[in-house]
Structures are given as C-alpha cells and as structure tokens.
Amino acid sequence: MTTAAPTPLVLPRDVAEDITELARIHRRAGGPGLQVLTLLGTRAEGLLERLPLGVRTRLDSATESALEVAMTAAQRSRGLVKDQPGWLDRVVTTGLGAAGGLGGLPSALAELPVTTTVLLRSIQGVAAEEGFDPSEPNVQFDSMRVFASAGPLAEDDGAETAFLATRLTLTGATMHGMISAVAPRLAAALGQKLAAQTVPVLGAAAGAAVNYAYTSYYQDMARVHFRLRRLSIDSDQTPETLTEALRAELTKRPVRQSESRSGR
C-alpha cells in the first residue's frame, strides 16, 4: 500500500522567507552545545551519572524552586536594571558559571538560581526586542515556556517546536503548573550543567562554557518563539500554521510559497 505524500504547506513568499530564517536560528541554537561536549570529551547522557544520587533525586525540586525564584526576581529587577544586550548576558552567565565551577558542586548549586534568573531576564529582553511587554502576564508565561526547549545538550524529541504552539488559559495556577511541567525537563539540562562543573580541574572552564552555551541557546529559542508570535500577528497566519511550517522547514519538507503576505 502506497502512502500519499504530505500536502505541502502554502505560505506567502515573505512569510516563508521569515520561517526559513527562524529555522536557521533554531538550528544555530544547538551549535555551542556541541562545542561544549567536545570540550568536556564526554557524551551528554553520561554527565548526569557524575552527580551524587542525593543531588539527582532533588534536582527537579531544586530546579522548580530556582524557576520560582527566577520569575519573582526577574520581574522585580526590571524596574531597577534595564535589559542588557545579548552579548552582555552571555558574559555575565559565563562568569557565573566559572565562579560556580571553582567551588565544585556546592558553589554550582548556589549559582543555579542566579544563572536561571539571568537567563529568564535575557529571554524577556528578547521578547521586548520583538515588541512584547515583559510585564504582561502572557509574555511572562511565554518566557517561562521557552525553558521547555530543554537546552543544547538534550536530544531533539520534537518538544522544541511542539511547545511553540501550546495554548493555555493564563491563571496563577496555570503559571505554577507551567513551572512544574518545565522543571523536570529543565532539570535534566541543568543537571548536565552541574555535572560538567564537577569535572576535576576543568570545573570553572566547563561551568563557563556550559553557561555560555545555554545562554546562547535560550536567547536563540526565545528569538524563534517571540518572532513566531510577532509573525503570526503581522501576517494574519495562525500560530499553529506557522509552527507547522517551521517544523516542515526543520525536517526539510517543502513549503510552497505564494506571492503575497496575506495569501488572499
């Protein structure tokens, strides 16, 4: 029995060009993570085994606490500190990673909520660059959702594009539920980071490199997320259509172009 080929998506030409650019950013996001793995000389799935059992079992709750602290701290800091350029956020988190790695696991654990806060502020800064107000609850919610993309050391299981289309009614309980849902996935990614910071001799260098990789990664994923939202508004295309177009571009399924943005 022959399976019919999927019907190509039809998009206006300029929208399809924007999707191609977003796919390029999405692919670029994993680049620094590969360099980190080369530096560490180990496979990503083996990193978590370096952590003590007690730390591994508490990683989800520690990450959830870090996310709760980060959300509160990021919002409070917006009135005191302006959004910084992306390169400066990378410099800050790189320094934090190096400092966390110097003292081994205890200092790496202490550094975790601080780095998470800076990452969240950086994500919110990207949202602002794309024309969204980070003080709006739905933008705060979307900023937290960016963390659902796990990180550059994780295998791409489809969550990086699936999370882009998720729609939920925003309430306080929903936000807490999002944090609870994101925490285990982010914990796996941050657990790899913590493990890298425990590598003898290389702890500080590994912490710096991994933090740089993660900051670059989440900045790129935030760019994809919020630019996709902006494109949906500007082009009158549904988020689901654009997300499917992005998935098609990432899997090399052809996206047929039409001449006008509206397609009408």
Side-chain angles (χ1 to χ4, degrees):
M1 180 176 179
T2 303
T3 302
T7 303
L9 296 172
V10 180
L11 288 177
R13 175 177 297 171
D14 49 356
V15 175
E17 290 173 351
D18 288 339
I19 290 295
T20 299
E21 172 62 13
L22 288 177
R24 184 191 68 80
I25 295 173
H26 192 289
R27 293 189 186 99
R28 180 185 69 188
L34 298 179
Q35 297 171 20
V36 171
L37 291 182
T38 300
L39 171 67
L40 297 177
T42 185
R43 298 179 63 189
E45 57 265 33
L47 289 174
L48 285 175
E49 297 175 3
R50 295 179 178 272
L51 293 176
L53 179 60
V55 173
R56 294 203 302 271
T57 57
R58 292 187 291 109
L59 202 50
D60 283 7
S61 60
T63 303
E64 185 169 342
S65 297
L67 287 171
E68 296 275 9
V69 169
M71 176 59 72
T72 301
Q75 286 308 115
R76 288 179 177 174
S77 69
R78 297 199 66 82
L80 302 173
V81 181
K82 294 182 179 180
D83 288 321
Q84 304 298 320
W87 67 266
L88 186 55
D89 285 335
R90 292 192 292 274
V91 168
V92 170
T93 56
T94 298
L96 288 170
L102 281 174
L105 187 57
S107 61
L109 285 169
E111 170 246 328
L112 178 63
V114 181
T115 294
T116 305
T117 299
V118 177
L119 287 174
L120 184 57
R121 271 299 306 265
S122 190
I123 290 169
Q124 292 177 345
V126 172
E129 289 177 17
E130 296 299 331
F132 297 98
D133 182 356
S135 67
E136 291 292 327
N138 64 323
V139 179
Q140 295 175 28
F141 185 78
D142 276 2
S143 296
M144 188 61 66
R145 281 166 56 190
V146 171
F147 278 125
S149 54
L153 304 186
E155 289 293 326
D156 184 357
D157 60 2
E160 284 80 356
T161 48
F163 87 98
L164 292 166
T166 303
R167 282 187 169 185
L168 297 171
T169 302
L170 181 60
T171 64
T174 301
M175 177 64 81
H176 182 75
M178 170 56 72
I179 291 174
S180 297
V182 167
R185 188 165 172 81
L186 182 59
L190 294 181
Q192 294 164 356
K193 184 184 97 70
L194 291 175
Q197 288 174 296
T198 68
V199 176
V201 182
L202 290 179
V210 173
N211 271 22
Y212 180 90
Y214 272 73
T215 308
S216 299
Y217 178 83
Y218 286 120
Q219 286 173 341
D220 280 340
M221 293 307 295
R223 186 75 59 194
V224 171
H225 182 90
F226 288 105
R227 192 169 291 177
L228 204 66
R229 276 193 58 181
R230 174 55 57 194
L231 184 60
S232 176
I233 294 169
D234 293 345
S235 67
D236 198 28
Q237 301 281 338
T238 67
E240 292 79 8
T241 295
L242 295 180
T243 301
E244 180 57 29
L246 177 60
R247 183 179 291 109
E249 181 68 22
L250 289 169
T251 56
K252 300 297 186 179
R253 182 158 61 86
V255 178
R256 183 155 50 90
Q257 300 176 359
S258 60
E259 293 297 324
S260 65
R261 177 173 286 274
S262 64
R264 291 178 289 189

PDB file of all heavy atoms in Angstrom, residues 75-103:
ATOM      1  N   GLN A  75      11.131  39.779  37.480  1.00  0.00           N
ATOM      2  CA  GLN A  75      10.131  40.841  37.394  1.00  0.00           C
ATOM      3  C   GLN A  75      10.502  42.034  38.272  1.00  0.00           C
ATOM      4  O   GLN A  75      10.373  43.186  37.864  1.00  0.00           O
ATOM      5  CB  GLN A  75       8.755  40.303  37.785  1.00  0.00           C
ATOM      6  CG  GLN A  75       8.131  39.416  36.725  1.00  0.00           C
ATOM      7  CD  GLN A  75       8.125  40.085  35.356  1.00  0.00           C
ATOM      8  OE1 GLN A  75       8.786  39.628  34.426  1.00  0.00           O
ATOM      9  NE2 GLN A  75       7.407  41.177  35.222  1.00  0.00           N
ATOM     10  N   ARG A  76      10.984  41.765  39.478  1.00  0.00           N
ATOM     11  CA  ARG A  76      11.374  42.867  40.369  1.00  0.00           C
ATOM     12  C   ARG A  76      12.559  43.643  39.815  1.00  0.00           C
ATOM     13  O   ARG A  76      12.649  44.863  39.959  1.00  0.00           O
ATOM     14  CB  ARG A  76      11.703  42.316  41.746  1.00  0.00           C
ATOM     15  CG  ARG A  76      10.477  41.845  42.530  1.00  0.00           C
ATOM     16  CD  ARG A  76      10.872  41.279  43.881  1.00  0.00           C
ATOM     17  NE  ARG A  76       9.696  40.890  44.666  1.00  0.00           N
ATOM     18  CZ  ARG A  76       9.747  40.273  45.832  1.00  0.00           C
ATOM     19  NH1 ARG A  76      10.932  39.961  46.360  1.00  0.00           N
ATOM     20  NH2 ARG A  76       8.632  39.964  46.479  1.00  0.00           N
ATOM     21  N   SER A  77      13.474  42.937  39.166  1.00  0.00           N
ATOM     22  CA  SER A  77      14.686  43.596  38.673  1.00  0.00           C
ATOM     23  C   SER A  77      14.419  44.478  37.464  1.00  0.00           C
ATOM     24  O   SER A  77      15.231  45.350  37.140  1.00  0.00           O
ATOM     25  CB  SER A  77      15.744  42.543  38.312  1.00  0.00           C
ATOM     26  OG  SER A  77      15.366  41.790  37.177  1.00  0.00           O
ATOM     27  N   ARG A  78      13.291  44.275  36.788  1.00  0.00           N
ATOM     28  CA  ARG A  78      13.033  45.053  35.576  1.00  0.00           C
ATOM     29  C   ARG A  78      12.891  46.535  35.880  1.00  0.00           C
ATOM     30  O   ARG A  78      13.197  47.382  35.044  1.00  0.00           O
ATOM     31  CB  ARG A  78      11.787  44.540  34.850  1.00  0.00           C
ATOM     32  CG  ARG A  78      11.913  43.112  34.342  1.00  0.00           C
ATOM     33  CD  ARG A  78      10.878  42.832  33.259  1.00  0.00           C
ATOM     34  NE  ARG A  78      11.163  43.657  32.089  1.00  0.00           N
ATOM     35  CZ  ARG A  78      12.063  43.351  31.166  1.00  0.00           C
ATOM     36  NH1 ARG A  78      12.762  42.229  31.266  1.00  0.00           N
ATOM     37  NH2 ARG A  78      12.259  44.143  30.147  1.00  0.00           N
ATOM     38  N   GLY A  79      12.406  46.858  37.088  1.00  0.00           N
ATOM     39  CA  GLY A  79      12.280  48.251  37.462  1.00  0.00           C
ATOM     40  C   GLY A  79      13.593  48.882  37.898  1.00  0.00           C
ATOM     41  O   GLY A  79      13.680  50.102  38.051  1.00  0.00           O
ATOM     42  N   LEU A  80      14.609  48.059  38.102  1.00  0.00           N
ATOM     43  CA  LEU A  80      15.893  48.553  38.600  1.00  0.00           C
ATOM     44  C   LEU A  80      17.000  48.484  37.552  1.00  0.00           C
ATOM     45  O   LEU A  80      17.873  49.356  37.511  1.00  0.00           O
ATOM     46  CB  LEU A  80      16.318  47.732  39.834  1.00  0.00           C
ATOM     47  CG  LEU A  80      15.336  47.723  41.016  1.00  0.00           C
ATOM     48  CD1 LEU A  80      15.817  46.744  42.077  1.00  0.00           C
ATOM     49  CD2 LEU A  80      15.195  49.127  41.603  1.00  0.00           C
ATOM     50  N   VAL A  81      16.966  47.447  36.738  1.00  0.00           N
ATOM     51  CA  VAL A  81      18.023  47.233  35.745  1.00  0.00           C
ATOM     52  C   VAL A  81      17.392  47.076  34.368  1.00  0.00           C
ATOM     53  O   VAL A  81      16.480  46.258  34.189  1.00  0.00           O
ATOM     54  CB  VAL A  81      18.853  45.969  36.077  1.00  0.00           C
ATOM     55  CG1 VAL A  81      19.969  45.774  35.047  1.00  0.00           C
ATOM     56  CG2 VAL A  81      19.422  46.059  37.493  1.00  0.00           C
ATOM     57  N   LYS A  82      17.848  47.850  33.416  1.00  0.00           N
ATOM     58  CA  LYS A  82      17.332  47.751  32.058  1.00  0.00           C
ATOM     59  C   LYS A  82      17.809  46.460  31.409  1.00  0.00           C
ATOM     60  O   LYS A  82      18.793  45.849  31.833  1.00  0.00           O
ATOM     61  CB  LYS A  82      17.800  48.954  31.224  1.00  0.00           C
ATOM     62  CG  LYS A  82      17.230  50.289  31.679  1.00  0.00           C
ATOM     63  CD  LYS A  82      17.712  51.410  30.773  1.00  0.00           C
ATOM     64  CE  LYS A  82      17.124  52.745  31.204  1.00  0.00           C
ATOM     65  NZ  LYS A  82      17.582  53.859  30.322  1.00  0.00           N
ATOM     66  N   ASP A  83      17.086  46.058  30.355  1.00  0.00           N
ATOM     67  CA  ASP A  83      17.530  44.892  29.591  1.00  0.00           C
ATOM     68  C   ASP A  83      18.916  45.159  29.022  1.00  0.00           C
ATOM     69  O   ASP A  83      19.207  46.249  28.522  1.00  0.00           O
ATOM     70  CB  ASP A  83      16.554  44.601  28.443  1.00  0.00           C
ATOM     71  CG  ASP A  83      15.233  44.043  28.937  1.00  0.00           C
ATOM     72  OD1 ASP A  83      15.256  43.229  29.872  1.00  0.00           O
ATOM     73  OD2 ASP A  83      14.184  44.421  28.376  1.00  0.00           O
ATOM     74  N   GLN A  84      19.751  44.146  29.092  1.00  0.00           N
ATOM     75  CA  GLN A  84      21.121  44.266  28.610  1.00  0.00           C
ATOM     76  C   GLN A  84      21.239  43.641  27.218  1.00  0.00           C
ATOM     77  O   GLN A  84      20.441  42.782  26.842  1.00  0.00           O
ATOM     78  CB  GLN A  84      22.082  43.551  29.575  1.00  0.00           C
ATOM     79  CG  GLN A  84      21.990  44.035  31.007  1.00  0.00           C
ATOM     80  CD  GLN A  84      22.368  45.502  31.144  1.00  0.00           C
ATOM     81  OE1 GLN A  84      23.295  45.978  30.506  1.00  0.00           O
ATOM     82  NE2 GLN A  84      21.627  46.220  31.977  1.00  0.00           N
ATOM     83  N   PRO A  85      22.239  44.055  26.442  1.00  0.00           N
ATOM     84  CA  PRO A  85      22.469  43.388  25.154  1.00  0.00           C
ATOM     85  C   PRO A  85      22.726  41.898  25.362  1.00  0.00           C
ATOM     86  O   PRO A  85      23.233  41.490  26.417  1.00  0.00           O
ATOM     87  CB  PRO A  85      23.734  44.092  24.616  1.00  0.00           C
ATOM     88  CG  PRO A  85      23.798  45.395  25.342  1.00  0.00           C
ATOM     89  CD  PRO A  85      23.194  45.156  26.694  1.00  0.00           C
ATOM     90  N   GLY A  86      22.362  41.108  24.374  1.00  0.00           N
ATOM     91  CA  GLY A  86      22.523  39.670  24.494  1.00  0.00           C
ATOM     92  C   GLY A  86      23.942  39.246  24.815  1.00  0.00           C
ATOM     93  O   GLY A  86      24.165  38.336  25.618  1.00  0.00           O
ATOM     94  N   TRP A  87      24.919  39.932  24.216  1.00  0.00           N
ATOM     95  CA  TRP A  87      26.316  39.542  24.457  1.00  0.00           C
ATOM     96  C   TRP A  87      26.707  39.754  25.913  1.00  0.00           C
ATOM     97  O   TRP A  87      27.485  38.975  26.467  1.00  0.00           O
ATOM     98  CB  TRP A  87      27.264  40.325  23.541  1.00  0.00           C
ATOM     99  CG  TRP A  87      27.334  41.801  23.812  1.00  0.00           C
ATOM    100  CD1 TRP A  87      26.619  42.788  23.203  1.00  0.00           C
ATOM    101  CD2 TRP A  87      28.187  42.460  24.778  1.00  0.00           C
ATOM    102  NE1 TRP A  87      26.947  44.017  23.729  1.00  0.00           N
ATOM    103  CE2 TRP A  87      27.908  43.842  24.689  1.00  0.00           C
ATOM    104  CE3 TRP A  87      29.135  42.014  25.689  1.00  0.00           C
ATOM    105  CZ2 TRP A  87      28.559  44.784  25.491  1.00  0.00           C
ATOM    106  CZ3 TRP A  87      29.779  42.957  26.487  1.00  0.00           C
ATOM    107  CH2 TRP A  87      29.498  44.319  26.385  1.00  0.00           C
ATOM    108  N   LEU A  88      26.124  40.807  26.544  1.00  0.00           N
ATOM    109  CA  LEU A  88      26.469  41.079  27.937  1.00  0.00           C
ATOM    110  C   LEU A  88      25.869  40.011  28.856  1.00  0.00           C
ATOM    111  O   LEU A  88      26.510  39.596  29.838  1.00  0.00           O
ATOM    112  CB  LEU A  88      25.978  42.467  28.334  1.00  0.00           C
ATOM    113  CG  LEU A  88      26.385  42.957  29.735  1.00  0.00           C
ATOM    114  CD1 LEU A  88      27.892  42.898  29.910  1.00  0.00           C
ATOM    115  CD2 LEU A  88      25.870  44.375  29.963  1.00  0.00           C
ATOM    116  N   ASP A  89      24.651  39.568  28.553  1.00  0.00           N
ATOM    117  CA  ASP A  89      24.068  38.473  29.328  1.00  0.00           C
ATOM    118  C   ASP A  89      24.938  37.230  29.226  1.00  0.00           C
ATOM    119  O   ASP A  89      25.117  36.495  30.207  1.00  0.00           O
ATOM    120  CB  ASP A  89      22.654  38.157  28.824  1.00  0.00           C
ATOM    121  CG  ASP A  89      21.635  39.198  29.255  1.00  0.00           C
ATOM    122  OD1 ASP A  89      21.872  39.869  30.273  1.00  0.00           O
ATOM    123  OD2 ASP A  89      20.600  39.334  28.565  1.00  0.00           O
ATOM    124  N   ARG A  90      25.486  36.974  28.032  1.00  0.00           N
ATOM    125  CA  ARG A  90      26.357  35.811  27.869  1.00  0.00           C
ATOM    126  C   ARG A  90      27.634  35.962  28.693  1.00  0.00           C
ATOM    127  O   ARG A  90      28.127  34.992  29.281  1.00  0.00           O
ATOM    128  CB  ARG A  90      26.681  35.602  26.387  1.00  0.00           C
ATOM    129  CG  ARG A  90      25.472  35.161  25.561  1.00  0.00           C
ATOM    130  CD  ARG A  90      25.868  34.692  24.184  1.00  0.00           C
ATOM    131  NE  ARG A  90      26.377  35.753  23.334  1.00  0.00           N
ATOM    132  CZ  ARG A  90      25.635  36.556  22.587  1.00  0.00           C
ATOM    133  NH1 ARG A  90      24.301  36.414  22.591  1.00  0.00           N
ATOM    134  NH2 ARG A  90      26.183  37.475  21.825  1.00  0.00           N
ATOM    135  N   VAL A  91      28.155  37.187  28.749  1.00  0.00           N
ATOM    136  CA  VAL A  91      29.348  37.441  29.560  1.00  0.00           C
ATOM    137  C   VAL A  91      29.038  37.197  31.037  1.00  0.00           C
ATOM    138  O   VAL A  91      29.818  36.551  31.758  1.00  0.00           O
ATOM    139  CB  VAL A  91      29.862  38.883  29.348  1.00  0.00           C
ATOM    140  CG1 VAL A  91      30.915  39.240  30.392  1.00  0.00           C
ATOM    141  CG2 VAL A  91      30.444  39.038  27.953  1.00  0.00           C
ATOM    142  N   VAL A  92      27.891  37.695  31.504  1.00  0.00           N
ATOM    143  CA  VAL A  92      27.516  37.556  32.919  1.00  0.00           C
ATOM    144  C   VAL A  92      27.353  36.089  33.293  1.00  0.00           C
ATOM    145  O   VAL A  92      27.904  35.617  34.301  1.00  0.00           O
ATOM    146  CB  VAL A  92      26.223  38.342  33.219  1.00  0.00           C
ATOM    147  CG1 VAL A  92      25.699  38.006  34.620  1.00  0.00           C
ATOM    148  CG2 VAL A  92      26.468  39.848  33.107  1.00  0.00           C
ATOM    149  N   THR A  93      26.590  35.342  32.496  1.00  0.00           N
ATOM    150  CA  THR A  93      26.361  33.936  32.842  1.00  0.00           C
ATOM    151  C   THR A  93      27.638  33.111  32.713  1.00  0.00           C
ATOM    152  O   THR A  93      27.839  32.158  33.473  1.00  0.00           O
ATOM    153  CB  THR A  93      25.260  33.316  31.968  1.00  0.00           C
ATOM    154  OG1 THR A  93      25.598  33.465  30.583  1.00  0.00           O
ATOM    155  CG2 THR A  93      23.914  33.965  32.245  1.00  0.00           C
ATOM    156  N   THR A  94      28.496  33.489  31.775  1.00  0.00           N
ATOM    157  CA  THR A  94      29.783  32.793  31.648  1.00  0.00           C
ATOM    158  C   THR A  94      30.606  32.973  32.919  1.00  0.00           C
ATOM    159  O   THR A  94      31.200  32.023  33.446  1.00  0.00           O
ATOM    160  CB  THR A  94      30.569  33.312  30.430  1.00  0.00           C
ATOM    161  OG1 THR A  94      29.820  33.042  29.237  1.00  0.00           O
ATOM    162  CG2 THR A  94      31.932  32.633  30.324  1.00  0.00           C
ATOM    163  N   GLY A  95      30.628  34.210  33.436  1.00  0.00           N
ATOM    164  CA  GLY A  95      31.344  34.477  34.680  1.00  0.00           C
ATOM    165  C   GLY A  95      30.732  33.734  35.853  1.00  0.00           C
ATOM    166  O   GLY A  95      31.457  33.192  36.706  1.00  0.00           O
ATOM    167  N   LEU A  96      29.397  33.684  35.897  1.00  0.00           N
ATOM    168  CA  LEU A  96      28.730  32.951  36.969  1.00  0.00           C
ATOM    169  C   LEU A  96      29.064  31.465  36.903  1.00  0.00           C
ATOM    170  O   LEU A  96      29.301  30.813  37.934  1.00  0.00           O
ATOM    171  CB  LEU A  96      27.217  33.145  36.872  1.00  0.00           C
ATOM    172  CG  LEU A  96      26.667  34.521  37.264  1.00  0.00           C
ATOM    173  CD1 LEU A  96      25.195  34.631  36.874  1.00  0.00           C
ATOM    174  CD2 LEU A  96      26.839  34.763  38.759  1.00  0.00           C
ATOM    175  N   GLY A  97      29.096  30.926  35.706  1.00  0.00           N
ATOM    176  CA  GLY A  97      29.413  29.507  35.541  1.00  0.00           C
ATOM    177  C   GLY A  97      30.819  29.192  35.991  1.00  0.00           C
ATOM    178  O   GLY A  97      31.062  28.163  36.628  1.00  0.00           O
ATOM    179  N   ALA A  98      31.758  30.091  35.665  1.00  0.00           N
ATOM    180  CA  ALA A  98      33.142  29.892  36.088  1.00  0.00           C
ATOM    181  C   ALA A  98      33.245  29.930  37.608  1.00  0.00           C
ATOM    182  O   ALA A  98      33.911  29.085  38.231  1.00  0.00           O
ATOM    183  CB  ALA A  98      34.037  30.955  35.468  1.00  0.00           C
ATOM    184  N   ALA A  99      32.567  30.909  38.225  1.00  0.00           N
ATOM    185  CA  ALA A  99      32.600  31.019  39.685  1.00  0.00           C
ATOM    186  C   ALA A  99      31.966  29.799  40.334  1.00  0.00           C
ATOM    187  O   ALA A  99      32.474  29.270  41.334  1.00  0.00           O
ATOM    188  CB  ALA A  99      31.882  32.293  40.122  1.00  0.00           C
ATOM    189  N   GLY A 100      30.838  29.326  39.761  1.00  0.00           N
ATOM    190  CA  GLY A 100      30.183  28.151  40.310  1.00  0.00           C
ATOM    191  C   GLY A 100      31.048  26.911  40.206  1.00  0.00           C
ATOM    192  O   GLY A 100      31.050  26.065  41.095  1.00  0.00           O
ATOM    193  N   GLY A 101      31.806  26.805  39.109  1.00  0.00           N
ATOM    194  CA  GLY A 101      32.654  25.637  38.912  1.00  0.00           C
ATOM    195  C   GLY A 101      33.884  25.620  39.782  1.00  0.00           C
ATOM    196  O   GLY A 101      34.441  24.550  40.064  1.00  0.00           O
ATOM    197  N   LEU A 102      34.330  26.786  40.242  1.00  0.00           N
ATOM    198  CA  LEU A 102      35.541  26.854  41.067  1.00  0.00           C
ATOM    199  C   LEU A 102      35.385  26.079  42.371  1.00  0.00           C
ATOM    200  O   LEU A 102      36.324  25.453  42.851  1.00  0.00           O
ATOM    201  CB  LEU A 102      35.896  28.316  41.365  1.00  0.00           C
ATOM    202  CG  LEU A 102      36.611  29.094  40.261  1.00  0.00           C
ATOM    203  CD1 LEU A 102      36.752  30.555  40.655  1.00  0.00           C
ATOM    204  CD2 LEU A 102      37.987  28.478  39.970  1.00  0.00           C
ATOM    205  N   GLY A 103      34.192  26.163  42.957  1.00  0.00           N
ATOM    206  CA  GLY A 103      33.970  25.527  44.251  1.00  0.00           C
ATOM    207  C   GLY A 103      33.352  24.150  44.164  1.00  0.00           C
ATOM    208  O   GLY A 103      32.932  23.602  45.187  1.00  0.00           O
TER     209      GLY A 103
END
